[in-house]
Short mmCIF file of all heavy atoms in Angstrom, two decimals:
data_model
loop_
_atom_site.label_atom_id
_atom_site.label_comp_id
_atom_site.label_asym_id
_atom_site.label_seq_id
_atom_site.Cartn_x
_atom_site.Cartn_y
_atom_site.Cartn_z
N ASP A 326 241.17 86.86 27.32
CA ASP A 326 240.86 87.29 28.66
C ASP A 326 239.61 88.29 28.68
O ASP A 326 238.81 88.26 29.57
CB ASP A 326 242.01 88.02 29.34
CG ASP A 326 243.19 86.96 29.65
OD1 ASP A 326 242.82 85.76 29.70
OD2 ASP A 326 244.29 87.39 29.80
N GLY A 327 239.60 89.15 27.68
CA GLY A 327 238.54 90.16 27.75
C GLY A 327 237.20 89.65 27.39
O GLY A 327 236.20 90.36 27.54
N PHE A 328 237.14 88.40 26.91
CA PHE A 328 235.86 87.84 26.49
C PHE A 328 235.44 86.68 27.44
O PHE A 328 234.60 85.95 27.13
CB PHE A 328 235.94 87.34 25.08
CG PHE A 328 236.11 88.41 24.05
CD1 PHE A 328 237.33 88.81 23.67
CD2 PHE A 328 234.98 89.01 23.53
CE1 PHE A 328 237.49 89.88 22.74
CE2 PHE A 328 235.08 90.06 22.64
CZ PHE A 328 236.38 90.46 22.19
N LYS A 329 236.06 86.56 28.57
CA LYS A 329 235.76 85.44 29.51
C LYS A 329 234.58 85.75 30.47
O LYS A 329 234.05 84.85 31.16
CB LYS A 329 237.01 85.05 30.27
CG LYS A 329 237.99 84.38 29.46
CD LYS A 329 239.20 83.92 30.35
CE LYS A 329 240.23 83.20 29.48
NZ LYS A 329 241.42 82.71 30.30
N ASP A 330 234.22 87.02 30.57
CA ASP A 330 233.15 87.40 31.55
C ASP A 330 231.82 86.80 31.09
O ASP A 330 231.30 87.22 30.07
CB ASP A 330 232.98 88.94 31.60
CG ASP A 330 232.14 89.43 32.63
OD1 ASP A 330 231.43 88.61 33.23
OD2 ASP A 330 232.03 90.65 32.85
N PRO A 331 231.21 85.95 31.95
CA PRO A 331 229.92 85.37 31.57
C PRO A 331 228.79 86.42 31.38
O PRO A 331 227.78 86.16 30.69
CB PRO A 331 229.55 84.47 32.86
CG PRO A 331 230.94 84.17 33.42
CD PRO A 331 231.70 85.44 33.19
N ALA A 332 228.96 87.62 31.95
CA ALA A 332 227.92 88.62 31.86
C ALA A 332 227.81 89.07 30.35
O ALA A 332 226.78 89.74 30.04
CB ALA A 332 228.26 89.88 32.71
N LEU A 333 228.80 88.81 29.52
CA LEU A 333 228.72 89.17 28.13
C LEU A 333 227.76 88.33 27.35
O LEU A 333 227.36 88.74 26.20
CB LEU A 333 230.13 89.14 27.45
CG LEU A 333 231.18 90.07 27.99
CD1 LEU A 333 232.53 89.71 27.30
CD2 LEU A 333 230.77 91.51 27.55
N TYR A 334 227.37 87.23 27.87
CA TYR A 334 226.62 86.19 27.10
C TYR A 334 225.28 85.84 27.77
O TYR A 334 225.10 86.01 28.98
CB TYR A 334 227.43 85.00 26.89
CG TYR A 334 228.79 85.29 26.37
CD1 TYR A 334 229.91 85.17 27.21
CD2 TYR A 334 228.99 85.64 25.02
CE1 TYR A 334 231.18 85.52 26.79
CE2 TYR A 334 230.28 86.00 24.58
CZ TYR A 334 231.38 85.87 25.42
OH TYR A 334 232.58 86.19 24.99
N THR A 335 224.38 85.33 26.96
CA THR A 335 223.12 84.77 27.52
C THR A 335 223.32 83.73 28.51
O THR A 335 224.30 82.97 28.44
CB THR A 335 222.20 84.30 26.35
OG1 THR A 335 220.96 84.03 26.81
CG2 THR A 335 222.85 83.21 25.61
N SER A 336 222.42 83.61 29.51
CA SER A 336 222.58 82.62 30.49
C SER A 336 222.71 81.17 30.12
O SER A 336 223.32 80.40 30.71
CB SER A 336 221.46 82.75 31.57
OG SER A 336 220.24 82.56 30.95
N TRP A 337 222.06 80.89 28.97
CA TRP A 337 221.99 79.44 28.57
C TRP A 337 223.22 79.09 27.70
O TRP A 337 223.30 77.92 27.14
CB TRP A 337 220.70 79.18 27.83
CG TRP A 337 220.28 80.11 26.77
CD1 TRP A 337 219.42 81.14 26.93
CD2 TRP A 337 220.72 80.21 25.44
NE1 TRP A 337 219.33 81.86 25.75
CE2 TRP A 337 220.05 81.29 24.80
CE3 TRP A 337 221.52 79.38 24.61
CZ2 TRP A 337 220.28 81.62 23.47
CZ3 TRP A 337 221.75 79.72 23.32
CH2 TRP A 337 221.10 80.80 22.70
N LEU A 338 224.08 79.98 27.45
CA LEU A 338 225.23 79.76 26.61
C LEU A 338 226.57 80.01 27.36
O LEU A 338 226.72 81.17 27.72
CB LEU A 338 225.20 80.61 25.26
CG LEU A 338 226.07 80.21 24.14
CD1 LEU A 338 225.76 78.72 23.66
CD2 LEU A 338 225.91 81.19 23.00
N LYS A 339 227.41 79.02 27.50
CA LYS A 339 228.68 79.13 28.19
C LYS A 339 229.59 80.01 27.33
O LYS A 339 229.64 79.90 26.09
CB LYS A 339 229.32 77.84 28.42
CG LYS A 339 228.56 77.01 29.53
CD LYS A 339 229.21 75.71 29.67
CE LYS A 339 228.39 74.75 30.65
NZ LYS A 339 229.09 73.51 30.89
N PRO A 340 230.44 80.97 27.92
CA PRO A 340 231.46 81.72 27.16
C PRO A 340 232.27 80.82 26.22
O PRO A 340 232.61 81.24 25.15
CB PRO A 340 232.23 82.37 28.26
CG PRO A 340 231.30 82.52 29.46
CD PRO A 340 230.51 81.23 29.38
N ALA A 341 232.70 79.70 26.70
CA ALA A 341 233.48 78.83 25.86
C ALA A 341 232.77 78.43 24.59
O ALA A 341 233.39 78.09 23.52
CB ALA A 341 234.02 77.63 26.57
N ASP A 342 231.45 78.33 24.61
CA ASP A 342 230.73 77.98 23.40
C ASP A 342 230.24 79.25 22.70
O ASP A 342 229.98 79.16 21.43
CB ASP A 342 229.43 77.20 23.84
CG ASP A 342 229.77 75.89 24.54
OD1 ASP A 342 230.73 75.29 24.01
OD2 ASP A 342 229.14 75.54 25.47
N ALA A 343 230.19 80.38 23.28
CA ALA A 343 229.80 81.60 22.66
C ALA A 343 230.89 82.32 21.87
O ALA A 343 230.55 83.08 20.98
CB ALA A 343 229.13 82.50 23.70
N PHE A 344 232.11 82.08 22.27
CA PHE A 344 233.24 82.83 21.65
C PHE A 344 234.34 81.98 21.21
O PHE A 344 234.92 81.22 22.11
CB PHE A 344 233.67 83.88 22.66
CG PHE A 344 234.85 84.69 22.11
CD1 PHE A 344 234.57 85.78 21.22
CD2 PHE A 344 236.07 84.48 22.37
CE1 PHE A 344 235.61 86.54 20.63
CE2 PHE A 344 237.16 85.26 21.89
CZ PHE A 344 236.85 86.36 21.03
N ASN A 345 234.58 81.84 19.96
CA ASN A 345 235.64 80.97 19.48
C ASN A 345 236.72 81.82 18.75
O ASN A 345 236.47 82.89 18.19
CB ASN A 345 235.13 79.94 18.44
CG ASN A 345 234.21 78.99 19.14
OD1 ASN A 345 234.46 78.59 20.24
ND2 ASN A 345 233.22 78.61 18.42
N VAL A 346 237.99 81.44 18.82
CA VAL A 346 239.08 82.15 18.24
C VAL A 346 239.75 81.24 17.18
O VAL A 346 240.13 80.13 17.50
CB VAL A 346 240.11 82.57 19.27
CG1 VAL A 346 241.28 83.27 18.62
CG2 VAL A 346 239.49 83.40 20.39
N TRP A 347 239.86 81.79 15.97
CA TRP A 347 240.75 81.15 14.94
C TRP A 347 241.92 82.09 14.77
O TRP A 347 241.82 83.24 14.57
CB TRP A 347 239.96 81.08 13.62
CG TRP A 347 238.94 80.00 13.68
CD1 TRP A 347 239.06 78.68 13.32
CD2 TRP A 347 237.56 80.09 14.21
NE1 TRP A 347 237.85 77.97 13.48
CE2 TRP A 347 236.93 78.83 14.02
CE3 TRP A 347 236.86 81.10 14.79
CZ2 TRP A 347 235.63 78.58 14.40
CZ3 TRP A 347 235.54 80.90 15.05
CH2 TRP A 347 234.98 79.63 14.95
N LYS A 348 243.13 81.45 14.77
CA LYS A 348 244.33 82.20 14.68
C LYS A 348 245.32 81.67 13.73
O LYS A 348 245.48 80.44 13.56
CB LYS A 348 245.00 82.24 16.05
CG LYS A 348 246.31 83.08 16.21
CD LYS A 348 246.87 83.00 17.60
CE LYS A 348 248.11 83.74 17.71
NZ LYS A 348 248.71 83.61 19.04
N THR A 349 245.96 82.47 12.94
CA THR A 349 247.04 82.12 12.13
C THR A 349 248.24 83.13 12.31
O THR A 349 247.97 84.31 12.55
CB THR A 349 246.66 82.10 10.63
OG1 THR A 349 247.75 81.76 9.83
CG2 THR A 349 246.06 83.45 10.23
N GLN A 350 249.45 82.51 12.17
CA GLN A 350 250.64 83.45 12.31
C GLN A 350 250.83 84.28 11.06
O GLN A 350 251.59 85.22 11.07
CB GLN A 350 251.89 82.60 12.55
CG GLN A 350 251.81 81.79 13.83
CD GLN A 350 251.62 82.65 15.07
OE1 GLN A 350 252.31 83.72 15.18
NE2 GLN A 350 250.76 82.30 15.97
N ARG A 351 250.12 83.93 9.97
CA ARG A 351 250.31 84.63 8.73
C ARG A 351 249.62 85.95 8.73
O ARG A 351 248.42 86.04 9.07
CB ARG A 351 249.84 83.77 7.62
CG ARG A 351 250.45 83.97 6.23
CD ARG A 351 249.75 85.04 5.47
NE ARG A 351 250.28 85.11 4.11
CZ ARG A 351 249.82 85.98 3.21
NH1 ARG A 351 248.93 86.93 3.58
NH2 ARG A 351 250.39 86.01 2.06
N ALA A 352 250.24 87.04 8.37
CA ALA A 352 249.64 88.35 8.43
C ALA A 352 248.68 88.49 7.21
O ALA A 352 248.78 87.83 6.20
CB ALA A 352 250.70 89.48 8.34
N PHE A 353 247.75 89.44 7.32
CA PHE A 353 246.81 89.72 6.28
C PHE A 353 247.27 91.08 5.57
O PHE A 353 247.29 92.03 6.16
CB PHE A 353 245.37 89.85 6.73
CG PHE A 353 244.40 90.07 5.69
CD1 PHE A 353 244.11 89.19 4.72
CD2 PHE A 353 243.77 91.38 5.62
CE1 PHE A 353 243.17 89.48 3.66
CE2 PHE A 353 242.83 91.61 4.54
CZ PHE A 353 242.59 90.65 3.72
N ASN A 354 247.55 90.94 4.29
CA ASN A 354 247.85 92.13 3.47
C ASN A 354 249.04 92.91 4.05
O ASN A 354 248.90 94.16 4.20
CB ASN A 354 246.66 93.03 3.24
CG ASN A 354 245.94 92.71 2.01
OD1 ASN A 354 246.55 92.07 1.01
ND2 ASN A 354 244.68 92.99 1.90
N LYS A 355 250.03 92.25 4.60
CA LYS A 355 251.26 92.80 5.14
C LYS A 355 251.14 93.51 6.47
O LYS A 355 252.10 94.10 6.92
CB LYS A 355 251.93 93.82 4.09
CG LYS A 355 252.25 93.16 2.83
CD LYS A 355 252.92 94.19 1.87
CE LYS A 355 253.32 93.60 0.55
NZ LYS A 355 253.95 94.56 -0.39
N TYR A 356 249.93 93.52 7.04
CA TYR A 356 249.76 94.05 8.38
C TYR A 356 250.45 93.11 9.39
O TYR A 356 250.26 91.90 9.40
CB TYR A 356 248.26 94.19 8.75
CG TYR A 356 247.62 95.34 8.14
CD1 TYR A 356 247.35 95.45 6.79
CD2 TYR A 356 247.31 96.48 8.96
CE1 TYR A 356 246.73 96.53 6.24
CE2 TYR A 356 246.67 97.60 8.41
CZ TYR A 356 246.39 97.58 7.05
OH TYR A 356 245.78 98.73 6.53
N GLU A 357 251.26 93.73 10.32
CA GLU A 357 251.95 92.87 11.28
C GLU A 357 250.98 92.17 12.26
O GLU A 357 251.14 91.05 12.62
CB GLU A 357 252.86 93.72 12.12
CG GLU A 357 254.08 94.25 11.30
CD GLU A 357 255.08 94.89 12.23
OE1 GLU A 357 254.95 94.94 13.41
OE2 GLU A 357 256.04 95.60 11.66
N LYS A 358 249.89 92.83 12.57
CA LYS A 358 248.80 92.22 13.37
C LYS A 358 247.49 92.67 12.72
O LYS A 358 247.27 93.83 12.44
CB LYS A 358 248.96 92.74 14.84
CG LYS A 358 250.22 92.20 15.53
CD LYS A 358 250.12 92.67 17.01
CE LYS A 358 251.32 92.10 17.71
NZ LYS A 358 251.37 92.49 19.13
N SER A 359 246.56 91.76 12.66
CA SER A 359 245.30 92.00 12.15
C SER A 359 244.29 91.16 12.88
O SER A 359 244.48 89.94 13.09
CB SER A 359 245.22 91.64 10.65
OG SER A 359 243.93 91.94 10.14
N ALA A 360 243.18 91.74 13.32
CA ALA A 360 242.05 91.00 14.02
C ALA A 360 240.74 91.37 13.42
O ALA A 360 240.52 92.59 13.07
CB ALA A 360 242.16 91.30 15.52
N ALA A 361 239.93 90.50 13.32
CA ALA A 361 238.53 90.65 12.90
C ALA A 361 237.56 90.05 13.84
O ALA A 361 237.77 88.84 14.24
CB ALA A 361 238.33 90.16 11.39
N LEU A 362 236.54 90.74 14.25
CA LEU A 362 235.44 90.21 15.16
C LEU A 362 234.16 90.19 14.44
O LEU A 362 233.64 91.21 14.01
CB LEU A 362 235.44 91.06 16.41
CG LEU A 362 234.34 90.69 17.41
CD1 LEU A 362 234.56 89.29 18.04
CD2 LEU A 362 234.19 91.75 18.50
#
Side-chain angles (χ1 to χ4, degrees):
D326 292 341
F328 292 92
K329 289 183 178 180
D330 186 355
L333 292 173
Y334 310 104
T335 184
S336 59
W337 47 264
L338 194 61
K339 296 179 180 179
D342 297 320
F344 181 77
N345 293 322
V346 179
W347 286 266
K348 181 181 179 183
T349 178
Q350 297 302 317
R351 207 273 189 183
F353 179 70
N354 268 338
K355 299 183 180 181
Y356 280 72
E357 292 187 8
K358 293 183 179 180
S359 180
L362 173 66

